[in-house]
Amino acid sequence: MQFFKSVAVLIILFLHSNYAFSIPQKEPLNSFVIIIQPIVVQGDDGNNPASMALPKNLIDETFSKAHVDLHFLEPIFYSNTKARDGVIDLDKIVKMATEDGFIRGQGEILNMFFVNELQGKKGPVAHGMLNESYTFIALGTKKTTDSTADILQRKHLQALVITHEVAQNLGLKHAVNGENVSNDIANIQTQQNDSERSPATYSLNDYQIRELKSPLVRPRIDILAVSDARKAILDETFEPYFSKLQKREIETFIQEKLTTSDINDLRRYARKRFQDAVLPFSETERNALTYIVKEVNVLLLQNNIHLMANHPWRFIKVDSWLCGGFAHTRGSFIIFSQKHLDSLTKIWQKDINEKDSLELLREFGGLLVHEQMHALQRSFPSKFVQLNTQHWDFQKAIIESDEYITLNQVSNPDAPSAEWLVPKPQQPSEFYWVRTLLKEGVDLPKMGKDFTDQIFTVILKEEKYQLKRDYDNQLIINSIDDLTFYRDSYPVTRGIDHPNEISAYMFSKVFRDMVSKTKDKPELKNEIEFNKWIELEMSKPLNIGLD
Ligand SMILES: [Zn+2]
């Protein structure tokens, strides 16, 4: 789509429109969500990213009519000069970005590339791949749009480009090609040089709303059918998981001794068994889960926790034999075992009384928000880096591991990277590395029971984080009880092997306090800081409108 000609007309229209200054209030949460992963393409050297803008309020305005929220994840930056400058084909860019690990989801997340030029055309120009989960947007620089255009006007234009292309991804045909869209009435799919068109009038008509059947449009509370869940449980688009598993942990997760030692065969078998474990939700489970998530969202919104309430909730159910029935997450999905759903349906019923409802909200709600924190950690990583390093004292590092640690590792799907170190007090170049491992000498370890927390010492030497060894070249191993200064600095006792778990357990505690409307004055510095971080990073409506 070429936007040049319409720019001047649109800008004049905006100048005369009071629309921009009075954005109508929309319903707090729409029942459908399209998750969008912005991918900002930059130079090979990691500099000069393409401009990106997400005038979220203006975009939401259009899709709200169809009860759809566009939910933008934190932008990721992809270094690829040729892709940024539009000298290679879009299909090729998608292929390269997939190989380089920048594409998110299994066709149910819209990957939105921001580039400088599209196949030789300068912005503003865009291309949504029809019925596919990729879209390309070149917003152009200030120069190529209009140097006199102020920020608000440019935002309107950007909103127009983005909504138009998202509509294209949803399979809404351009007006000129479809008989159900009048070309006389301004609409997001009509011709761009339509002078009648302004943001106040571009919208979806009823026909288009009914047409929103794309796999990208998902219910806000998305309870997956078995076929979708079997795909989703293998997601590795946010980070590798199955492709890093080791033999002992695979045996532990699936509770089966395996004879082969070929690591690829083992990982293939692990994927198969995870898929085998997927179960359908019963109708009662669906109703109960929908009920409790809605209650959780109401309480979150009452307490201004916008970040979590706005994030869609997506569920997979598995049999309780998998991973010891532990609740966990993968990609944007929460995985519950039959055991958890039984605990929910035991209490829930259609006309649940207030006491039971509060009890569920405290217990099951507390579990839900813990798991949703893990989904947020994947989708908004820099917020959590901020928490771990600025509010808390963790140090992010790539540590040169040891075979003993690798072979006995327990890959926590909710804390997939063992990249956080605890600085050793008064020792500037020494750190502690807290790891959960499988106990040695157990033939078929059990989840939880046969885990052991071991603390290794790491030294920073020649700019590398290396494991410290004693005079006999043995690893120095401590237990968590040797690290009281660290252990006692958090108000939770579980999950202190990784900051992802600490923040999930701590948020769960905050949530339970919201339910019971009690709040002790925090005393620990890390708790005070956590509350500050919630205020800063979870309480404000998402606004990533930068360019
Ligand atoms: Zn967790």
Side-chain angles (χ1 to χ4, degrees):
M1 284 292 103
Q2 185 54 267
F3 286 85
F4 265 112
K5 294 170 205 156
S6 55
V7 172
V9 179
L10 283 168
I11 285 169
I12 291 161
L13 276 168
F14 299 146
L15 283 173
H16 294 285
S17 163
N18 62 0
Y19 165 81
F21 307 101
S22 60
I23 297 155
Q25 281 295 306
K26 64 180 184 75
E27 286 284 300
L29 296 170
N30 284 309
S31 6
F32 294 94
V33 184
I34 300 171
I35 303 185
I36 299 183
Q37 175 63 64
I39 304 167
V40 182
V41 187
Q42 58 189 7
D44 291 335
D45 58 359
N47 292 318
N48 302 314
S51 41
M52 181 202 64
L54 301 168
K56 201 179 162 340
N57 285 345
L58 299 177
I59 297 168
D60 284 348
E61 175 73 4
T62 303
F63 283 92
S64 271
K65 203 180 162 197
H67 308 289
V68 177
D69 275 337
L70 299 195
H71 183 63
F72 291 93
L73 306 185
E74 180 184 310
I76 50 177
F77 289 82
Y78 178 35
S79 299
N80 188 330
T81 305
K82 284 181 178 165
R84 181 196 61 190
D85 297 341
V87 294
I88 45 177
D89 283 348
L90 305 188
D91 287 340
K92 178 102 192 286
I93 299 175
V94 170
K95 197 165 167 267
M96 290 169 90
T98 306
E99 284 166 8
D100 294 337
F102 283 83
I103 298 295
R104 298 287 186 255
Q106 314 282 328
E108 85 299 352
I109 293 177
L110 180 56
N111 291 277
M112 183 177 278
F113 288 88
F114 286 88
V115 293
N116 283 351
E117 289 189 27
L118 269 185
Q119 293 166 322
K121 287 181 201 145
K122 279 195 167 56
V125 51
H127 183 83
M129 292 165 130
L130 194 62
N131 289 323
E132 280 198 62
S133 52
Y134 312 104
T135 204
F136 287 84
I137 291 174
L139 290 172
T141 57
K142 243 180 154 176
K143 259 180 267 149
T144 55
T145 52
D146 188 319
S147 57
T148 60
D150 72 15
I151 289 169
L152 207 55
Q153 291 152 3
R154 279 194 290 130
K155 275 190 173 177
H156 278 93
L157 183 63
Q158 288 154 353
L160 201 67
V161 178
I162 292 168
T163 46
H164 180 92
E165 293 312 317
V166 172
Q168 174 83 353
N169 285 96
L170 300 179
L172 299 179
K173 292 192 185 97
H174 285 206
V176 283
N177 303 325
E179 55 194 48
N180 292 306
V181 183
S182 163
N183 214 9
D184 299 331
I185 305 163
N187 174 287
I188 58 170
Q189 292 304 112
T190 48
Q191 288 286 309
Q192 299 306 307
N193 55 2
D194 183 346
S195 59
E196 290 302 305
R197 201 176 140 125
S198 79
T201 52
Y202 71 76
S203 61
L204 300 163
N205 70 23
D206 291 344
Y207 166 75
Q208 287 169 319
I209 290 171
R210 283 197 305 277
E211 281 297 289
L212 290 176
K213 286 190 208 115
S214 153
L216 293 167
V217 182
R218 309 292 310 186
R220 172 167 295 283
I221 303 169
D222 198 2
I223 299 172
L224 263 60
V226 169
S227 56
D228 287 342
R230 283 171 58 91
K231 233 196 283 170
I233 201 169
L234 298 187
D235 188 280
E236 292 192 81
T237 63
F238 283 84
E239 76 265 323
Y241 185 71
F242 295 96
S243 46
K244 284 189 158 182
L245 292 181
Q246 297 295 323
K247 184 176 181 174
R248 280 199 90 199
E249 56 183 333
I250 291 174
E251 291 179 336
T252 307
F253 297 153
I254 65 173
Q255 280 303 294
E256 188 180 336
K257 284 295 284 181
L258 302 170
T259 46
T260 178
S261 37
D262 181 288
I263 196 69
N264 292 320
D265 284 346
L266 287 163
R267 289 170 181 165
R268 210 171 297 129
Y269 188 65
R271 288 187 177 93
K272 182 191 172 300
R273 293 303 286 151
F274 271 69
Q275 285 193 311
D276 290 345
V278 171
L279 293 177
F281 288 85
S282 73
E283 204 191 326
T284 310
E285 287 166 351
R286 287 175 169 274
N287 291 337
L289 201 49
T290 304
Y291 169 84
I292 192 66
V293 171
K294 282 185 175 167
E295 291 292 304
V296 167
N297 271 351
V298 167
L299 191 63
L300 289 173
L301 287 173
Q302 278 170 3
N303 288 275
N304 289 322
I305 310 292
H306 295 276
L307 186 74
M308 187 176 284
N310 277 298
H311 202 71
W313 298 82
R314 320 174 89 184
F315 299 102
I316 292 172
K317 177 178 148 187
V318 294
D319 213 336
S320 302
W321 58 259
L322 184 72
C323 296
F326 280 40
H328 61 285
T329 62
R330 177 143 308 108
S332 52
F333 304 95
I334 295 173
I335 304 173
F336 279 139
S337 69
Q338 182 66 59
K339 210 168 66 180
H340 293 108
L341 290 150
D342 288 346
S343 76
L344 172 65
T345 52
K346 214 175 100 191
I347 300 176
W348 181 82
Q349 49 188 315
K350 272 208 170 101
D351 21 354
I352 186 168
N353 65 43
E354 204 184 321
K355 186 178 151 280
D356 286 348
S357 180
L358 273 180
E359 168 71 12
L360 265 191
L361 194 56
R362 236 188 76 81
E363 295 309 319
F364 202 85
L367 174 66
L368 277 166
V369 300
H370 175 116
E371 298 306 324
Q372 188 77 328
M373 274 300 263
H374 291 316
L376 295 176
Q377 285 157 357
R378 264 188 204 104
S379 301
F380 302 94
S382 67
K383 288 179 183 292
F384 289 86
V385 170
Q386 188 83 5
L387 171 66
N388 299 346
T389 61
Q390 305 295 309
H391 295 268
W392 294 344
D393 288 331
F394 288 96
Q395 165 101 22
K396 199 175 180 189
I398 296 168
I399 301 119
E400 294 182 346
S401 194
D402 178 271
E403 194 179 36
Y404 161 75
I405 299 175
T406 308
L407 293 180
N408 294 297
Q409 71 184 21
V410 184
S411 300
N412 177 351
D414 303 329
S417 307
E419 58 187 5
W420 296 102
L421 295 174
V422 181
K424 198 169 175 175
Q426 279 98 43
Q427 292 265 7
S429 57
E430 290 203 11
F431 305 85
Y432 293 112
W433 192 23
V434 188
R435 297 297 310 266
T436 295
L437 301 179
L438 293 167
K439 283 181 190 160
E440 280 190 299
V442 183
D443 191 38
L444 183 56
K446 289 257 183 303
M447 290 287 292
K449 183 175 147 273
D450 294 315
F451 290 177
T452 167
D453 278 337
Q454 298 197 343
I455 292 148
F456 302 91
T457 302
V458 167
I459 40 172
L460 179 59
K461 214 164 126 188
E462 290 148 12
E463 296 183 16
K464 285 187 184 128
Y465 291 90
Q466 304 172 4
L467 286 162
K468 191 174 179 181
R469 292 167 192 275
D470 63 15
Y471 295 112
D472 302 324
N473 208 29
Q474 297 297 308
L475 291 170
I476 300 172
I477 305 176
N478 285 291
S479 88
I480 198 80
D481 295 326
D482 302 323
L483 249 74
T484 45
F485 81 92
Y486 166 71
R487 190 195 62 193
D488 298 343
S489 70
Y490 292 95
V492 288
T493 49
R494 296 167 70 189
I496 59 170
D497 60 335
H498 197 287
N500 281 14
E501 291 299 348
I502 297 176
S503 53
Y505 278 109
M506 280 178 74
F507 189 76
S508 188
K509 185 175 174 286
V510 168
F511 180 82
R512 286 178 172 137
D513 287 345
M514 287 174 191
V515 178
S516 50
K517 297 197 173 78
T518 53
K519 205 176 175 190
D520 301 330
K521 203 170 159 24
E523 278 167 17
L524 295 171
K525 178 181 165 280
N526 285 337
E527 196 177 5
I528 296 167
E529 287 295 322
F530 186 59
N531 292 343
K532 267 194 220 165
W533 174 85
I534 291 175
E535 186 80 27
L536 281 170
E537 300 291 346
M538 293 184 83
S539 301
K540 289 191 192 114
L542 208 59
N543 187 12
I544 25 183
L546 50 113
D547 65 358

